[in-house]
Amino acid sequence: MSSETNVTNWSDLNLSPEMLDLIEKAGYKAPTPVQEKAIPLVIAGHDVLVSSQTGSGKTASFVIPTVERFKGKNGTYILALSPTREIAQQTGAVFETFGAPFGLRTVVCIGGASIPLEKEALASSPHIIVATPGRLVDHLERGNVWLDFIQCLIFDEADRMLDMGFASQIEKISEQIPKERQSLMFSATFAPKVEKLARQVMRDPKQVTIEKAEGSVPKIDQRLFWMEEGKKPSALVRLVREEPGTVIIFAKSKERVYQVWRSLEDKKIAATYIHSDIPQKDREAAIADFKSGKFQVLVATDVMGRGIDVDDVAHVVNYDVPREAEDYIHRIGRTGRRGKTGMATTFAIPVKDEQGIRAIEKLRGIKSPEKPAPSAAHQGQSKPRGQGPQRGNDRARDTRPRDVGPRDARPRDDRPRDERPREARPAHSPKVSRPESASVVALPEAAKPNKIVSFFKKLFNK
Ligand code: AMP
């Protein structure tokens, strides 16, 4: 199909033969919906405001057209701002893939990396800079970089950058860039603060919103379980043991991450973890080990978890209800990627977490769900999941007991993770794949689980 409104082939997007070649080499068979819509607008030089979830292919939707638009010019003309080091590195890698073959050089500037080395790299006038806002302001203040030649400013995951308190740095950076420029903004949500920033930094932007029907919204089977704090560790262990795929667990603090990891280790479950106190190299190694299947479970804080680009995450667990409602969307966006059906489970404490759950509803403008009934929430009833209406029929449940196999047979190593040589850490069974049929998790549930589950499902049906 090649009508303007229904483009499905890369060749319909007016890209150069060289770029089409690179896309083919990258294995991108067809453009994703965000790519179909954003690429022509970016190539035409518009400011574009894009609402799309992580995992929708948004990075390539700004990298491919900006490289096409600016290749062959001299000077530093593209600046992409990313919320975290990991996302900046991933974005830098995508610019390498599609820009380096055209002779474009990319420099990534991130906290934790060497300032003198970055200074040297910036002095070499790269064509593209990818940076976290804090580090870029640091370079600006040291006089290591000038932004006078920037012609395209990209805000990736703008909502997240604002949530992380980067508003003033973003303002400082935007002020240094010529007004005659192209601005592209990507955000999972259009929270009021994102709209405000867009009004400040963009000019008459074209808006791209990816609808669910277009396939970009992940298919995520969402569940909410009300339970007391003390029940969480055993509920988690059970859930992980019954989940054949990979699991990312989000916890609210570093201490909490360690606590959760410890409780899994105690049960000989192959888990690793990341948080901001862990050196960058170790974090990268932990993510690589998780990606390779060496560990079934990764425990993370919100900020760290955001940068994890793993396509095969079967299940996201919100061990703690997120502090910010927007984090819920970001967290569960780790699963259900690239057309697969994911699973997201939230553990909420009756009364204490009600406000947080309400905030998640409010974010999406959804009507309040039934209140949990404290009596039932405390009873720890077990009931096979899947009794309510389900999304994602390809993840049909199998209630047969599973053999947890090698995980239970692993030797115990009681040393803290950081003190253990990598090779001595428990090896997880080979690369985890997503079976057609996965087992059922039976956990304590609220009195009206179906209503609550269906409420959560509405978040993504909207
Ligand atoms: P992103 O939303 O940018 O984080 O991308 C999510 C994943 O999708 C990354 O692993 C990309 O390499 C991959 N990807 C991006 N565009 C395509 C495409 N058109 N076809 C297949 N995979 C893609």
Side-chain angles (χ1 to χ4, degrees), residues 29-87:
K29 290 202 166 54
T32 64
V34 67
Q35 292 162 353
E36 281 181 24
K37 290 195 168 173
I39 289 174
L41 293 170
V42 178
I43 290 184
H46 294 291
D47 278 12
V48 190
L49 182 55
V50 182
S51 131
S52 68
Q53 307 292 329
T54 47
S56 59
K58 67 178 168 56
T59 315
S61 82
F62 62 78
V63 167
I64 290 172
T66 50
V67 167
E68 280 285 49
R69 188 155 182 242
F70 295 101
K71 65 181 195 268
K73 295 191 181 182
N74 285 324
T76 303
Y77 39 73
I78 299 174
L79 170 63
L81 297 176
S82 307
T84 67
R85 303 167 192 190
E86 285 78 9
I87 295 169

Tab-separated table of all heavy atoms in Angstrom, residues 29-87:
chain	number	residue	atom	x	y	z
A	29	LYS	N	11.773	-4.820	9.061
A	29	LYS	CA	11.047	-5.224	7.839
A	29	LYS	C	10.076	-4.158	7.340
A	29	LYS	O	10.007	-3.868	6.165
A	29	LYS	CB	10.316	-6.543	8.089
A	29	LYS	CG	11.278	-7.713	8.219
A	29	LYS	CD	10.618	-9.038	7.927
A	29	LYS	CE	11.654	-10.131	7.737
A	29	LYS	NZ	12.608	-10.245	8.853
A	30	ALA	N	9.302	-3.598	8.271
A	30	ALA	CA	8.335	-2.554	7.883
A	30	ALA	C	8.383	-1.452	8.932
A	30	ALA	O	8.725	-1.703	10.080
A	30	ALA	CB	6.942	-3.160	7.814
A	31	PRO	N	8.033	-0.230	8.542
A	31	PRO	CA	8.029	0.836	9.553
A	31	PRO	C	6.936	0.598	10.586
A	31	PRO	O	5.868	0.088	10.249
A	31	PRO	CB	7.740	2.109	8.747
A	31	PRO	CG	7.323	1.678	7.393
A	31	PRO	CD	7.667	0.245	7.201
A	32	THR	N	7.213	0.961	11.812
A	32	THR	CA	6.169	0.879	12.845
A	32	THR	C	5.248	2.100	12.651
A	32	THR	O	5.616	3.047	11.953
A	32	THR	CB	6.795	0.921	14.260
A	32	THR	OG1	7.433	2.195	14.426
A	32	THR	CG2	7.807	-0.197	14.459
A	33	PRO	N	4.073	2.113	13.283
A	33	PRO	CA	3.157	3.244	13.081
A	33	PRO	C	3.787	4.599	13.389
A	33	PRO	O	3.586	5.560	12.648
A	33	PRO	CB	2.004	2.930	14.040
A	33	PRO	CG	2.000	1.432	14.104
A	33	PRO	CD	3.442	1.031	14.061
A	34	VAL	N	4.575	4.680	14.458
A	34	VAL	CA	5.169	5.991	14.769
A	34	VAL	C	6.169	6.383	13.681
A	34	VAL	O	6.277	7.566	13.311
A	34	VAL	CB	5.788	6.020	16.195
A	34	VAL	CG1	6.992	5.116	16.326
A	34	VAL	CG2	6.165	7.429	16.592
A	35	GLN	N	6.859	5.416	13.135
A	35	GLN	CA	7.809	5.714	12.059
A	35	GLN	C	7.075	6.152	10.790
A	35	GLN	O	7.471	7.123	10.145
A	35	GLN	CB	8.687	4.481	11.796
A	35	GLN	CG	9.625	4.193	12.962
A	35	GLN	CD	10.207	2.790	12.968
A	35	GLN	OE1	9.828	1.938	12.152
A	35	GLN	NE2	11.099	2.525	13.908
A	36	GLU	N	6.005	5.456	10.467
A	36	GLU	CA	5.207	5.832	9.284
A	36	GLU	C	4.756	7.283	9.348
A	36	GLU	O	4.788	7.998	8.365
A	36	GLU	CB	3.921	4.998	9.222
A	36	GLU	CG	4.086	3.604	8.703
A	36	GLU	CD	2.737	2.900	8.668
A	36	GLU	OE1	1.690	3.573	8.608
A	36	GLU	OE2	2.747	1.668	8.709
A	37	LYS	N	4.313	7.683	10.556
A	37	LYS	CA	3.730	9.024	10.677
A	37	LYS	C	4.781	10.108	10.878
A	37	LYS	O	4.660	11.199	10.328
A	37	LYS	CB	2.757	9.050	11.857
A	37	LYS	CG	1.522	8.246	11.576
A	37	LYS	CD	0.441	8.577	12.558
A	37	LYS	CE	-0.868	7.995	12.092
A	37	LYS	NZ	-1.929	8.146	13.066
A	38	ALA	N	5.775	9.813	11.708
A	38	ALA	CA	6.725	10.876	12.065
A	38	ALA	C	7.762	11.133	10.967
A	38	ALA	O	8.123	12.291	10.723
A	38	ALA	CB	7.419	10.531	13.379
A	39	ILE	N	8.237	10.091	10.322
A	39	ILE	CA	9.358	10.270	9.385
A	39	ILE	C	9.047	11.312	8.286
A	39	ILE	O	9.838	12.238	8.078
A	39	ILE	CB	9.842	8.904	8.828
A	39	ILE	CG1	10.549	8.132	9.955
A	39	ILE	CG2	10.772	9.079	7.615
A	39	ILE	CD1	10.969	6.708	9.614
A	40	PRO	N	7.902	11.208	7.607
A	40	PRO	CA	7.655	12.214	6.558
A	40	PRO	C	7.589	13.646	7.109
A	40	PRO	O	8.068	14.578	6.467
A	40	PRO	CB	6.299	11.795	5.976
A	40	PRO	CG	6.137	10.355	6.349
A	40	PRO	CD	6.839	10.197	7.662
A	41	LEU	N	7.026	13.799	8.308
A	41	LEU	CA	6.916	15.143	8.889
A	41	LEU	C	8.284	15.698	9.243
A	41	LEU	O	8.576	16.881	9.043
A	41	LEU	CB	6.029	15.108	10.150
A	41	LEU	CG	4.550	14.786	9.910
A	41	LEU	CD1	3.833	14.528	11.240
A	41	LEU	CD2	3.866	15.925	9.157
A	42	VAL	N	9.143	14.837	9.777
A	42	VAL	CA	10.486	15.295	10.159
A	42	VAL	C	11.282	15.649	8.905
A	42	VAL	O	11.940	16.698	8.844
A	42	VAL	CB	11.224	14.227	11.009
A	42	VAL	CG1	12.629	14.699	11.349
A	42	VAL	CG2	10.440	13.914	12.281
A	43	ILE	N	11.191	14.813	7.901
A	43	ILE	CA	11.933	15.097	6.661
A	43	ILE	C	11.446	16.410	6.043
A	43	ILE	O	12.233	17.184	5.502
A	43	ILE	CB	11.802	13.923	5.658
A	43	ILE	CG1	12.590	12.726	6.201
A	43	ILE	CG2	12.312	14.310	4.267
A	43	ILE	CD1	12.659	11.526	5.303
A	44	ALA	N	10.158	16.685	6.187
A	44	ALA	CA	9.615	17.934	5.632
A	44	ALA	C	10.023	19.153	6.463
A	44	ALA	O	9.714	20.290	6.095
A	44	ALA	CB	8.099	17.844	5.539
A	45	GLY	N	10.675	18.926	7.600
A	45	GLY	CA	11.220	20.044	8.376
A	45	GLY	C	10.291	20.586	9.450
A	45	GLY	O	10.587	21.598	10.077
A	46	HIS	N	9.152	19.903	9.696
A	46	HIS	CA	8.221	20.400	10.720
A	46	HIS	C	8.743	20.151	12.130
A	46	HIS	O	9.514	19.224	12.363
A	46	HIS	CB	6.876	19.654	10.602
A	46	HIS	CG	6.147	19.947	9.337
A	46	HIS	ND1	5.595	21.166	9.058
A	46	HIS	CD2	5.880	19.162	8.256
A	46	HIS	CE1	5.015	21.133	7.878
A	46	HIS	NE2	5.186	19.918	7.353
A	47	ASP	N	8.244	20.948	13.060
A	47	ASP	CA	8.368	20.582	14.471
A	47	ASP	C	7.335	19.492	14.698
A	47	ASP	O	6.212	19.585	14.185
A	47	ASP	CB	8.034	21.781	15.375
A	47	ASP	CG	9.223	22.730	15.526
A	47	ASP	OD1	10.194	22.575	14.759
A	47	ASP	OD2	9.171	23.617	16.391
A	48	VAL	N	7.693	18.460	15.451
A	48	VAL	CA	6.752	17.351	15.623
A	48	VAL	C	6.702	16.941	17.092
A	48	VAL	O	7.732	16.762	17.747
A	48	VAL	CB	7.151	16.121	14.749
A	48	VAL	CG1	6.033	15.081	14.758
A	48	VAL	CG2	7.466	16.525	13.320
A	49	LEU	N	5.481	16.809	17.562
A	49	LEU	CA	5.235	16.402	18.945
A	49	LEU	C	4.621	15.007	18.890
A	49	LEU	O	3.539	14.829	18.334
A	49	LEU	CB	4.258	17.410	19.561
A	49	LEU	CG	3.837	17.280	21.004
A	49	LEU	CD1	5.038	17.248	21.924
A	49	LEU	CD2	2.931	18.457	21.379
A	50	VAL	N	5.324	14.042	19.411
A	50	VAL	CA	4.890	12.653	19.226
A	50	VAL	C	4.548	12.002	20.557
A	50	VAL	O	5.356	12.004	21.491
A	50	VAL	CB	6.017	11.823	18.553
A	50	VAL	CG1	5.560	10.391	18.313
A	50	VAL	CG2	6.451	12.469	17.246
A	51	SER	N	3.366	11.451	20.629
A	51	SER	CA	3.038	10.662	21.814
A	51	SER	C	3.120	9.200	21.426
A	51	SER	O	2.359	8.723	20.588
A	51	SER	CB	1.630	11.030	22.281
A	51	SER	OG	0.870	9.890	22.491
A	52	SER	N	4.086	8.510	21.990
A	52	SER	CA	4.176	7.073	21.700
A	52	SER	C	4.877	6.384	22.853
A	52	SER	O	5.677	6.990	23.556
A	52	SER	CB	4.947	6.833	20.412
A	52	SER	OG	6.287	7.168	20.594
A	53	GLN	N	4.539	5.156	23.027
A	53	GLN	CA	5.102	4.387	24.137
A	53	GLN	C	6.527	3.948	23.819
A	53	GLN	O	6.905	3.877	22.651
A	53	GLN	CB	4.256	3.127	24.386
A	53	GLN	CG	2.782	3.393	24.570
A	53	GLN	CD	2.488	4.146	25.847
A	53	GLN	OE1	3.191	3.997	26.830
A	53	GLN	NE2	1.460	4.972	25.831
A	54	THR	N	7.255	3.593	24.876
A	54	THR	CA	8.574	3.004	24.636
A	54	THR	C	8.342	1.654	23.946
A	54	THR	O	7.326	1.020	24.147
A	54	THR	CB	9.332	2.756	25.952
A	54	THR	OG1	8.430	2.131	26.851
A	54	THR	CG2	9.831	4.034	26.562
A	55	GLY	N	9.279	1.291	23.117
A	55	GLY	CA	9.133	0.025	22.414
A	55	GLY	C	8.370	0.159	21.109
A	55	GLY	O	8.169	-0.812	20.397
A	56	SER	N	7.973	1.381	20.777
A	56	SER	CA	7.183	1.571	19.551
A	56	SER	C	8.076	1.846	18.341
A	56	SER	O	7.579	2.025	17.244
A	56	SER	CB	6.221	2.744	19.756
A	56	SER	OG	6.968	3.913	20.060
A	57	GLY	N	9.383	1.904	18.567
A	57	GLY	CA	10.296	2.219	17.472
A	57	GLY	C	10.511	3.718	17.335
A	57	GLY	O	10.933	4.215	16.297
A	58	LYS	N	10.272	4.464	18.410
A	58	LYS	CA	10.338	5.929	18.328
A	58	LYS	C	11.767	6.424	18.064
A	58	LYS	O	11.941	7.448	17.408
A	58	LYS	CB	9.755	6.572	19.590
A	58	LYS	CG	10.590	6.299	20.819
A	58	LYS	CD	10.020	6.975	22.029
A	58	LYS	CE	10.672	6.491	23.290
A	58	LYS	NZ	12.124	6.606	23.369
A	59	THR	N	12.772	5.711	18.574
A	59	THR	CA	14.148	6.207	18.385
A	59	THR	C	14.481	6.284	16.895
A	59	THR	O	14.943	7.319	16.403
A	59	THR	CB	15.159	5.298	19.124
A	59	THR	OG1	14.652	5.031	20.426
A	59	THR	CG2	16.519	5.950	19.221
A	60	ALA	N	14.205	5.195	16.189
A	60	ALA	CA	14.484	5.218	14.743
A	60	ALA	C	13.591	6.234	14.040
A	60	ALA	O	13.974	6.764	12.992
A	60	ALA	CB	14.268	3.821	14.150
A	61	SER	N	12.440	6.550	14.627
A	61	SER	CA	11.540	7.503	13.959
A	61	SER	C	12.101	8.920	13.982
A	61	SER	O	11.666	9.758	13.214
A	61	SER	CB	10.135	7.458	14.563
A	61	SER	OG	10.066	8.239	15.732
A	62	PHE	N	13.056	9.207	14.879
A	62	PHE	CA	13.718	10.520	14.759
A	62	PHE	C	15.127	10.407	14.207
A	62	PHE	O	15.626	11.321	13.558
A	62	PHE	CB	13.675	11.336	16.067
A	62	PHE	CG	14.360	10.749	17.284
A	62	PHE	CD1	15.735	10.811	17.428
A	62	PHE	CD2	13.619	10.181	18.303
A	62	PHE	CE1	16.361	10.310	18.571
A	62	PHE	CE2	14.232	9.669	19.450
A	62	PHE	CZ	15.619	9.731	19.577
A	63	VAL	N	15.775	9.251	14.431
A	63	VAL	CA	17.153	9.113	13.938
A	63	VAL	C	17.173	9.051	12.400
A	63	VAL	O	17.921	9.801	11.743
A	63	VAL	CB	17.806	7.845	14.538
A	63	VAL	CG1	19.101	7.514	13.804
A	63	VAL	CG2	18.082	8.045	16.028
A	64	ILE	N	16.349	8.186	11.831
A	64	ILE	CA	16.396	7.984	10.371
A	64	ILE	C	16.114	9.293	9.607
A	64	ILE	O	16.912	9.696	8.756
A	64	ILE	CB	15.442	6.832	9.952
A	64	ILE	CG1	16.032	5.501	10.449
A	64	ILE	CG2	15.213	6.805	8.441
A	64	ILE	CD1	15.109	4.293	10.282
A	65	PRO	N	15.026	10.007	9.921
A	65	PRO	CA	14.768	11.215	9.113
A	65	PRO	C	15.738	12.364	9.388
A	65	PRO	O	16.027	13.148	8.492
A	65	PRO	CB	13.344	11.607	9.502
A	65	PRO	CG	13.121	10.999	10.847
A	65	PRO	CD	13.932	9.735	10.856
A	66	THR	N	16.247	12.462	10.635
A	66	THR	CA	17.176	13.577	10.876
A	66	THR	C	18.496	13.317	10.157
A	66	THR	O	19.111	14.242	9.621
A	66	THR	CB	17.401	13.845	12.386
A	66	THR	OG1	17.727	12.630	13.045
A	66	THR	CG2	16.175	14.453	13.043
A	67	VAL	N	18.922	12.062	10.137
A	67	VAL	CA	20.147	11.752	9.384
A	67	VAL	C	19.909	12.061	7.905
A	67	VAL	O	20.731	12.710	7.245
A	67	VAL	CB	20.560	10.270	9.587
A	67	VAL	CG1	21.625	9.864	8.568
A	67	VAL	CG2	21.074	10.046	11.006
A	68	GLU	N	18.766	11.655	7.395
A	68	GLU	CA	18.458	11.911	5.979
A	68	GLU	C	18.457	13.413	5.687
A	68	GLU	O	18.929	13.864	4.665
A	68	GLU	CB	17.076	11.348	5.623
A	68	GLU	CG	17.058	9.850	5.369
A	68	GLU	CD	17.659	9.468	4.011
A	68	GLU	OE1	18.770	9.935	3.691
A	68	GLU	OE2	17.032	8.684	3.289
A	69	ARG	N	17.896	14.148	6.618
A	69	ARG	CA	17.717	15.584	6.397
A	69	ARG	C	19.045	16.344	6.452
A	69	ARG	O	19.251	17.296	5.701
A	69	ARG	CB	16.762	16.095	7.470
A	69	ARG	CG	16.335	17.492	7.263
A	69	ARG	CD	15.042	17.888	7.868
A	69	ARG	NE	14.859	19.268	7.480
A	69	ARG	CZ	14.787	20.285	8.311
A	69	ARG	NH1	14.782	20.070	9.608
A	69	ARG	NH2	14.687	21.512	7.856
A	70	PHE	N	19.924	15.948	7.367
A	70	PHE	CA	21.112	16.764	7.599
A	70	PHE	C	22.416	16.174	7.073
A	70	PHE	O	23.450	16.826	7.154
A	70	PHE	CB	21.253	17.055	9.097
A	70	PHE	CG	20.125	17.903	9.632
A	70	PHE	CD1	19.082	17.338	10.344
A	70	PHE	CD2	20.106	19.265	9.402
A	70	PHE	CE1	18.040	18.111	10.818
A	70	PHE	CE2	19.074	20.053	9.867
A	70	PHE	CZ	18.030	19.482	10.586
A	71	LYS	N	22.396	14.965	6.575
A	71	LYS	CA	23.659	14.343	6.129
A	71	LYS	C	24.316	15.218	5.055
A	71	LYS	O	23.629	15.881	4.287
A	71	LYS	CB	23.401	12.921	5.613
A	71	LYS	CG	22.547	12.834	4.366
A	71	LYS	CD	22.338	11.376	3.970
A	71	LYS	CE	21.819	11.248	2.571
A	71	LYS	NZ	20.428	11.188	2.348
A	72	GLY	N	25.634	15.197	5.078
A	72	GLY	CA	26.350	15.985	4.068
A	72	GLY	C	26.679	17.395	4.522
A	72	GLY	O	27.469	18.087	3.891
A	73	LYS	N	26.063	17.846	5.627
A	73	LYS	CA	26.376	19.193	6.115
A	73	LYS	C	27.512	19.125	7.137
A	73	LYS	O	27.680	18.102	7.798
A	73	LYS	CB	25.145	19.799	6.796
A	73	LYS	CG	23.985	20.026	5.855
A	73	LYS	CD	22.930	20.858	6.533
A	73	LYS	CE	21.755	21.078	5.602
A	73	LYS	NZ	20.726	21.919	6.177
A	74	ASN	N	28.208	20.223	7.305
A	74	ASN	CA	29.269	20.265	8.315
A	74	ASN	C	28.787	20.936	9.581
A	74	ASN	O	27.884	21.772	9.547
A	74	ASN	CB	30.481	21.031	7.774
A	74	ASN	CG	31.251	20.184	6.783
A	74	ASN	OD1	31.348	18.960	6.955
A	74	ASN	ND2	31.758	20.803	5.738
A	75	GLY	N	29.403	20.587	10.684
A	75	GLY	CA	29.050	21.225	11.959
A	75	GLY	C	28.186	20.314	12.808
A	75	GLY	O	27.734	19.251	12.376
A	76	THR	N	27.987	20.760	14.052
A	76	THR	CA	27.155	19.978	14.968
A	76	THR	C	25.717	20.449	14.798
A	76	THR	O	25.388	21.567	15.178
A	76	THR	CB	27.629	20.217	16.421
A	76	THR	OG1	29.008	19.871	16.499
A	76	THR	CG2	26.845	19.372	17.402
A	77	TYR	N	24.894	19.643	14.195
A	77	TYR	CA	23.552	20.148	13.897
A	77	TYR	C	22.415	19.362	14.538
A	77	TYR	O	21.277	19.792	14.481
A	77	TYR	CB	23.318	20.258	12.389
A	77	TYR	CG	23.902	19.133	11.572
A	77	TYR	CD1	23.324	17.874	11.578
A	77	TYR	CD2	25.040	19.363	10.788
A	77	TYR	CE1	23.863	16.863	10.821
A	77	TYR	CE2	25.587	18.336	10.036
A	77	TYR	CZ	24.991	17.087	10.049
A	77	TYR	OH	25.523	16.094	9.330
A	78	ILE	N	22.702	18.227	15.130
A	78	ILE	CA	21.611	17.500	15.807
A	78	ILE	C	21.971	17.349	17.284
A	78	ILE	O	23.078	16.917	17.622
A	78	ILE	CB	21.395	16.100	15.190
A	78	ILE	CG1	21.000	16.211	13.710
A	78	ILE	CG2	20.324	15.327	15.967
A	78	ILE	CD1	20.912	14.868	12.988
A	79	LEU	N	21.036	17.707	18.147
A	79	LEU	CA	21.220	17.480	19.584
A	79	LEU	C	20.015	16.698	20.099
A	79	LEU	O	18.874	17.127	19.946
A	79	LEU	CB	21.322	18.811	20.334
A	79	LEU	CG	21.276	18.708	21.872
A	79	LEU	CD1	22.457	17.909	22.417
A	79	LEU	CD2	21.258	20.100	22.506
A	80	ALA	N	20.288	15.534	20.679
A	80	ALA	CA	19.196	14.747	21.268
A	80	ALA	C	19.388	14.700	22.774
A	80	ALA	O	20.471	14.349	23.260
A	80	ALA	CB	19.199	13.330	20.690
A	81	LEU	N	18.360	15.085	23.508
A	81	LEU	CA	18.411	15.035	24.977
A	81	LEU	C	17.681	13.787	25.459
A	81	LEU	O	16.545	13.522	25.038
A	81	LEU	CB	17.752	16.279	25.571
A	81	LEU	CG	18.412	17.608	25.240
A	81	LEU	CD1	17.602	18.773	25.811
A	81	LEU	CD2	19.854	17.651	25.779
A	82	SER	N	18.328	13.051	26.337
A	82	SER	CA	17.742	11.798	26.844
A	82	SER	C	17.654	11.866	28.362
A	82	SER	O	18.513	12.478	28.999
A	82	SER	CB	18.643	10.611	26.499
A	82	SER	OG	18.939	10.588	25.137
A	83	PRO	N	16.673	11.207	28.964
A	83	PRO	CA	16.550	11.288	30.422
A	83	PRO	C	17.631	10.528	31.184
A	83	PRO	O	18.035	10.950	32.259
A	83	PRO	CB	15.171	10.682	30.703
A	83	PRO	CG	14.831	9.860	29.512
A	83	PRO	CD	15.553	10.463	28.351
A	84	THR	N	18.081	9.408	30.654
A	84	THR	CA	19.046	8.604	31.416
A	84	THR	C	20.264	8.247	30.565
A	84	THR	O	20.222	8.332	29.340
A	84	THR	CB	18.430	7.267	31.901
A	84	THR	OG1	18.164	6.448	30.750
A	84	THR	CG2	17.143	7.478	32.678
A	85	ARG	N	21.297	7.831	31.265
A	85	ARG	CA	22.534	7.433	30.567
A	85	ARG	C	22.263	6.293	29.597
A	85	ARG	O	22.757	6.286	28.475
A	85	ARG	CB	23.556	6.906	31.557
A	85	ARG	CG	23.900	7.849	32.644
A	85	ARG	CD	24.670	7.104	33.707
A	85	ARG	NE	24.767	7.929	34.910
A	85	ARG	CZ	25.533	7.647	35.935
A	85	ARG	NH1	26.279	6.555	35.942
A	85	ARG	NH2	25.569	8.431	36.972
A	86	GLU	N	21.488	5.319	30.085
A	86	GLU	CA	21.247	4.144	29.250
A	86	GLU	C	20.508	4.511	27.975
A	86	GLU	O	20.840	4.046	26.886
A	86	GLU	CB	20.461	3.076	30.016
A	86	GLU	CG	21.281	2.305	31.039
A	86	GLU	CD	21.520	3.073	32.341
A	86	GLU	OE1	20.902	4.151	32.520
A	86	GLU	OE2	22.338	2.617	33.164
A	87	ILE	N	19.500	5.366	28.119
A	87	ILE	CA	18.730	5.749	26.929
A	87	ILE	C	19.622	6.560	25.988
A	87	ILE	O	19.584	6.388	24.773
A	87	ILE	CB	17.448	6.526	27.320
A	87	ILE	CG1	16.525	5.588	28.101
A	87	ILE	CG2	16.721	7.059	26.084
A	87	ILE	CD1	15.353	6.276	28.760
